[in-house]
Amino acid sequence: MSSEIYRDALGIPHLRADGARELAHLQGRVTAADRAWQLEVERHRAQGTSAAFLGPDSVGWDCFVRRARVADTARHCFTALEEQDPETADWIRAYVDGVNAGLPRGADRAPEFAAARLEPGRWEPWTPLGVWLSTHILFVGFPAKLWREEVVRRLGADAVGLFATDGPGTVGSNGWLLTGERTVTGRPVIAGDPHRFIEDPGVYQQIRLACPEFDVVGLAVPGVPGIAHFAHTGTVAWAITNAMADYQDLYRERLRRTPSGVEALDPDGVWRPASCHVETVEVAGGEPVEVEVVETRRGPVVIGGPRDPGTGTDPGTGETVTGVASDADRSPGAQEVVAAGQSPGAQGVVAAGKFVGAEGSPGAREFVGAEGPPGAREFAGAEEPPGAEEFVGAEGVAGFADAISLRYPPRVTHDLGFGALLPLLRARRVADVDRALDRWAEPVNVVQAADTEGGLLHRVAGKVPVRGADNRTRVVPAWEPGHEWRGWHEMPRGTVDDGLAVMANQRGPASPLGTEFAAPHRARRIRALLTARKGWSAPDMAAVHTDTHLASAAPLLERLAALDEDTLSPRAAAVWARLLSWDRHMDADSTGAAAYAAVRGAVVRRLAAHPALACLTDPPAYPEVFRPWLSLTVRIGYALENLLTARELPGIDRAAIVQEALEETAAGTAGTPGTGTDVGAGTGTEVEVGTGTEVEVGAGTEVGAGPGTATRDTTWGDTHRLAAWRALPTGPNDEPALSGDHDCVLCTSAVPGVTDLAARGPAARYVWDLAHREDSLWVVPLGASGVPGTPHHRDQLPLWLRGDLAPVVTDWDRLTKENDDH
């Protein structure tokens, strides 16, 4: 047999080989042929070298990746894998060899290489691990800790719950498992859809991998061998959702530069050497940027760093020390922004450009550690909240740099969990999947699995450190004891109740491991739909995938209902009546959905402009990669439900704001220049919402993609359109209208108050049928090919838009064999 490539009618590769190693080589070769440009972009992003051909806009990401030591961590993880699991290491090498063999032909087919003047480079054995890590380094949304610190410092601890959210750079997933008692076949069905940035090419690759040991269909990550997240082996199937666990910590460091190098203050009061070297980021069309890479015993420094030598005071001894910095007036964590055109304090890119790997759920509203429901506590809006504890690090320490380091599990353990990949492919039963997942590391997922013999699995998989509670919610002082890691949590297990398990990033089995979780709306809606009847089939799942009911609309609609109609203008009264009769479905052709979104956006912008929250408008000048988590407008947009339902917001008349937003929307002035209502995250803040689409959020600046107009003819789909991310800009997007919204099961996320364009949504949909694998179904947003202009580049888009699913073809006789001339 050797190696054989087959394709189905959608161009999806089905691969056969004599063994697992030969199959990995073939997978790498075919992926390079289909996705050469995508692979090279991801390789460069993992190395921090993407600005060398993508230009200044990529400098911020490259600097972060260098400082976080992503590539170095991947190298260490692969070295450890070679020592501990040589079979898996050899299997990964075979994949990389296949990529290198296929890249020349793939690059010849991809026009982006010529446009970027880029030649394909060489993959190293550790490169797939680097791609995986860079894809998930922001998965947890650790920059949310920076936001919480700012809220506590400026408004007080009681305000944190009001803004609880994972940040605009994150996404989530839906997943559900039906046991045989709820299906027409009497066997389980697993279905769902991961919510990520919609990219061109797509972030998931439909593929089949077959050899004498296994025959697996699923959704692979281009650049990584095997099929990790969503797969069906014929006898067992599994799928994941983000567990929303918190497993990355930020430490505020005290650093000093001495004649012998850089030192960091440790918890025992001793200054110890920190590693330090300088790297250069090459920039196409710009000057090179030097990056000082510093690492303490906690981890790499990702914000700030040691400053120029001077004289200062040792905070521990009070003694005057030479050879350190003296810059006490500088803002905490402030550093010069390296990206061209970015001014300190700007919030920068918001949630719709490519923050690779930021997984999670940006609409999370529940906050662990808050007593009672989020937002239910009284808001301490005073400038000096009674009893508010002064935040460590809020004041500069004379003579010492204020820097922040990142501690994340693979940097500590040199394990990315790749030892689970081969065992997953070889799994025959749920017990096999369970054992494989014991080796899983990052990201931390909730897994659902079922097999043909009735086995069921619902568990959390990954590594979460045991440490103090403060680590999970804020930036902790590195020089104080009590913030160290003390081993690893045992992974919790969930249950399957009444023939059903549903996960949508809400509180569930992973609750003890997390800080913030998604609002329960998606999970509750999925459960309600699935429990309404029994006798579900695989094709029936499409109706659940595409449900557009928006439960989170209730708080705003209730405040609208409380308005006195007699105080409204005639035009506002007409919009008001339409909203009160609206069915709360965010359908693309709905005028009610359009009116709701317009009023919602106007409310968000008015709250963001309110003097009571003005202290959060300009955050510290952290590096641009963190700014999506620090934008006040975006934070309010995703936390609006909390802000509208909190008992009190001192100084803010929410009824008046809602009525003003309604009048503004009815007049068609929301977001138009000069109205005084078009304010947001800070004057001159640039917000990327997709390739070729940028909006400015600031006084006197138009906001969004035309939100604010609520005529009878305006529909949600007029402004809620797809904004797929492309590494190389190709001009303005001309993408289709979308149904859904952030808290719908059909989760197509806009940025309320900023834009209705949706850069995130279902990056794939799948249905795994355990009765007959050939009855399983799937779809991706664009197509199997990453080459523009080819037949299978965007041929699945019509299916995806309609909510339809394509069959998973498993009969080799129904496939077309491809001539293998590689």
Side-chain angles (χ1 to χ4, degrees):
M1 176 175 60
S2 188
S3 297
E4 298 177 332
I5 303 169
Y6 290 78
R7 304 271 182 176
D8 64 15
L10 292 173
I12 297 168
H14 294 243
L15 311 179
R16 287 200 299 195
D18 291 331
R21 193 183 190 285
E22 294 81 2
L23 187 59
H25 186 279
L26 185 61
Q27 183 185 5
R29 191 147 48 86
V30 168
T31 302
D34 289 354
R35 309 285 188 100
W37 171 248
Q38 180 181 29
L39 291 187
E40 279 299 270
V41 169
E42 297 305 327
R43 181 179 70 86
H44 281 282
R45 288 177 64 82
Q47 296 176 167
T49 54
S50 60
F53 64 97
L54 294 179
D57 287 346
S58 295
V59 169
W61 172 262
D62 284 355
C63 290
F64 166 68
V65 167
R66 303 289 189 102
R67 301 188 85 188
R69 310 216 67 188
V70 167
D72 186 70
T73 302
R75 292 187 191 97
H76 281 296
C77 289
F78 185 78
T79 298
L81 199 63
E82 286 185 303
E83 296 171 355
Q84 300 165 15
D85 187 355
E87 182 192 19
T88 297
D90 184 60
W91 176 71
I92 294 171
R93 282 183 182 275
Y95 179 87
V96 168
D97 290 344
V99 169
N100 286 326
L103 271 176
R105 180 185 181 222
D108 286 344
R109 300 176 63 214
E112 296 94 340
F113 282 88
R117 298 180 180 178
L118 180 69
E119 293 292 330
R122 182 168 182 80
W123 280 49
E124 300 296 333
W126 56 266
T127 302
L129 287 76
V131 168
W132 187 264
L133 181 56
S134 69
T135 300
H136 296 103
I137 187 76
L138 294 177
F139 192 99
V140 189
F142 69 79
K145 295 176 183 180
L146 302 173
W147 168 258
R148 292 185 206 118
E149 182 160 299
E150 289 305 302
V151 173
V152 170
R153 189 163 66 89
R154 301 183 189 204
L155 289 179
D158 287 343
V160 172
L162 296 172
F163 296 98
T165 172
D166 291 278
T170 58
V171 286
S173 304
N174 297 321
W176 58 93
L177 184 158
L178 292 166
T179 67
E181 66 184 273
R182 289 195 169 274
T183 67
V184 293
T185 64
R187 294 285 179 85
V189 167
I190 297 175
D193 53 348
H195 306 148
R196 300 183 62 161
F197 289 108
I198 306 301
E199 300 180 19
D200 185 1
V203 298
Y204 285 113
Q205 174 192 31
Q206 298 154 299
I207 201 166
R208 183 183 185 184
L209 304 175
C211 67
E213 285 188 273
F214 51 79
D215 183 342
V216 186
V217 296
L219 299 167
V221 174
V224 178
I227 305 172
H229 285 161
F230 311 96
H232 195 324
T233 73
T235 58
V236 64
W238 65 90
I240 62 97
T241 57
N242 179 16
M244 309 301 289
D246 178 86
Y247 52 86
Q248 298 168 330
D249 286 350
L250 293 176
Y251 291 81
R252 193 172 297 281
E253 300 276 359
R254 285 180 178 164
L255 304 178
R256 68 183 184 185
R257 198 185 299 276
T258 70
S260 60
V262 174
E263 295 180 341
L265 184 61
D266 285 347
D268 58 2
V270 177
W271 289 89
R272 290 188 173 88
S275 67
C276 180
H277 69 276
V278 175
E279 298 183 9
T280 300
V281 174
E282 300 294 337
V283 184
E287 293 297 318
V289 175
E290 286 193 346
V291 181
E292 188 172 33
V293 180
V294 178
E295 186 166 11
T296 73
R297 291 191 171 195
R298 271 66 59 191
V301 172
V302 294
I303 297 173
R307 303 188 191 130
D308 294 333
T311 301
T313 303
D314 187 322
T317 65
E319 298 177 351
T320 298
V321 181
T322 59
V324 297
S326 57
D327 191 4
D329 295 331
R330 193 150 178 181
S331 300
Q335 70 172 58
E336 188 171 337
V337 180
V338 296
Q342 296 290 345
S343 59
Q347 279 94 4
V349 181
V350 175
K354 168 114 182 203
F355 282 89
V356 176
E359 289 271 89
S361 179
R365 294 171 175 84
E366 299 182 37
F367 189 74
V368 170
E371 295 182 4
R377 293 164 297 151
E378 184 173 333
F379 175 47
E383 292 183 6
E384 296 289 341
E389 180 182 357
E390 184 177 348
F391 228 62
V392 175
E395 299 295 333
V397 179
F400 299 94
D402 197 358
I404 295 176
S405 63
L406 169 66
R407 188 171 180 83
Y408 57 101
R411 189 70 188 158
V412 175
T413 65
H414 297 163
D415 179 17
L416 267 173
F418 272 44
L421 296 180
L422 268 174
L424 281 172
L425 292 176
R426 291 165 172 159
R428 294 290 182 271
R429 299 288 180 264
V430 156
D432 302 325
V433 173
D434 198 11
R435 282 191 296 271
L437 293 175
D438 287 339
R439 305 175 69 178
W440 193 253
E442 179 169 321
V444 179
N445 296 321
V446 176
V447 183
Q448 296 172 332
D451 62 35
T452 54
E453 295 184 354
L456 302 173
L457 180 67
H458 188 198
R459 64 163 290 182
V460 182
K463 283 189 176 294
V464 179
V466 176
R467 74 276 207 218
D470 283 353
N471 293 50
R472 292 166 55 177
T473 59
R474 51 170 282 194
V475 183
V476 295
W479 58 88
E480 290 185 359
H483 303 300
E484 66 280 354
W485 287 9
R486 305 184 300 274
W488 306 96
H489 281 281
E490 183 177 349
M491 290 296 98
R493 293 179 178 270
T495 58
V496 181
D497 300 319
D498 194 24
L500 179 64
V502 175
M503 284 304 302
N505 315 115
Q506 83 283 13
R507 293 188 182 279
S511 291
L513 307 177
T515 298
E516 298 179 18
F517 294 81
H521 304 304
R522 285 184 286 121
R524 288 175 179 170
R525 181 63 175 175
I526 293 169
R527 180 170 287 276
L529 291 170
L530 293 175
T531 56
R533 66 178 178 88
K534 294 187 177 181
W536 289 93
S537 67
D540 293 338
M541 297 297 100
V544 182
H545 282 135
T546 56
D547 184 80
T548 60
H549 184 264
L550 187 66
S552 62
L556 179 53
L557 293 177
E558 288 167 3
R559 288 197 172 270
L560 285 166
L563 298 178
D564 183 352
E565 184 179 6
D566 293 338
T567 65
L568 302 178
S569 68
R571 293 179 69 176
V575 177
W576 179 79
R578 190 191 323 164
L579 284 170
L580 295 188
S581 63
W582 173 50
D583 63 4
R584 304 189 185 189
H585 282 266
M586 299 296 286
D587 296 323
D589 61 357
S590 170
T591 59
Y596 169 78
V599 173
R600 176 179 63 182
V603 169
V604 168
R605 291 189 294 276
R606 286 180 173 275
L607 285 172
H610 199 283
L613 300 177
C615 59
L616 291 170
T617 299
D618 294 317
Y622 291 128
E624 62 177 307
V625 74
F626 302 130
R627 293 189 197 131
W629 285 267
L630 301 170
S631 166
L632 177 61
T633 303
V634 177
R635 281 288 178 177
I636 290 173
Y638 286 127
L640 184 61
E641 188 176 8
N642 286 353
L643 293 163
L644 291 177
T645 56
R647 276 205 309 259
E648 185 179 354
L649 286 180
I652 300 179
D653 186 342
R654 287 171 289 184
I657 283 178
V658 169
Q659 183 159 345
E660 291 165 3
L662 177 64
E663 291 285 355
E664 173 188 324
T665 301
T669 58
T672 56
T675 64
T677 60
D678 45 345
V679 290
T683 304
T685 297
E686 185 178 277
V687 180
E688 284 189 16
V689 293
T691 304
T693 308
E694 294 181 356
V695 295
E696 292 281 332
V697 184
T701 305
E702 186 169 351
V703 180
T709 303
T711 68
R712 289 187 178 277
D713 297 329
T714 302
T715 67
W716 178 223
D718 288 337
T719 57
H720 188 57
R721 309 183 76 84
L722 181 63
W725 182 86
R726 300 178 183 88
L728 203 62
T730 56
N733 280 286
D734 184 20
E735 298 285 18
L738 299 177
S739 295
D741 197 31
H742 180 72
D743 286 321
C744 298
V745 179
L746 179 52
C747 183
T748 53
S749 296
V751 187
V754 176
T755 181
D756 290 342
L757 295 175
R760 291 171 292 140
R765 296 189 185 105
Y766 61 89
V767 182
W768 302 142
D769 193 326
L770 272 301
H772 306 285
R773 187 172 66 166
E774 60 270 24
D775 291 334
S776 297
L777 303 160
W778 56 4
V779 73
V780 294
L782 299 179
S785 173
V787 182
T790 55
H792 303 301
H793 179 221
R794 295 170 70 89
D795 58 339
Q796 294 186 52
L797 179 60
L799 295 173
W800 184 81
L801 289 171
R802 294 194 303 266
D804 292 341
L805 297 157
V808 173
V809 178
T810 57
D811 184 349
W812 294 99
D813 292 336
R814 295 175 56 198
L815 304 172
T816 301
K817 188 174 182 180
E818 183 176 283
N819 291 327
D820 187 2
D821 55 358
H822 297 273

